[in-house]
Amino acid sequence: RAYAQLFSTAGALPDCMVTHSWSGLFVHLVAAVVAHALGEEACGGIADELAAGHAREVLKVLRQHQVHSTRYWICCFCVNQHASICGGF
């Protein structure tokens, strides 16, 4: 099973599907998702805030904009890649 299947609500569909690059930094992926939720075109400042340990402040901004419940499916969590790559799991 995919990681997301362990926590999903039955029938809950995403608001947005996100893919990633294995060569990218995870903080940049999260920052890109946050920037998208906030309608921002760039995510560099958000990545800096997250890297500096200010995740609570970023969450506060998401709540202030009432987008903290936007549902994103990120492929590395929503697709059981081991099922096709490793033949099981």
Side-chain angles (χ1 to χ4, degrees):
R1 292 178 55 173
Y3 179 78
Q5 288 176 299
L6 301 174
F7 300 100
S8 68
T9 304
L13 296 175
D15 297 302
C16 187
M17 178 69 183
V18 179
T19 192
H20 76 294
S21 168
W22 288 111
S23 63
L25 295 177
F26 186 72
V27 69
H28 293 161
L29 173 65
V30 174
V33 170
V34 170
H36 182 270
L38 294 172
E40 300 288 332
E41 291 188 24
C43 64
I46 296 167
D48 292 342
E49 288 296 310
L50 292 169
H54 300 140
R56 289 183 195 274
E57 290 81 359
V58 172
L59 180 56
K60 183 177 178 181
V61 171
L62 288 167
R63 286 183 173 142
Q64 288 171 343
H65 286 83
Q66 298 181 352
V67 294
H68 62 285
S69 296
T70 303
R71 187 176 295 115
Y72 286 84
W73 282 6
I74 299 174
C75 64
C76 60
F77 299 120
C78 297
V79 177
N80 184 353
Q81 297 176 21
H82 292 287
S84 61
I85 297 170
C86 304
F89 263 99

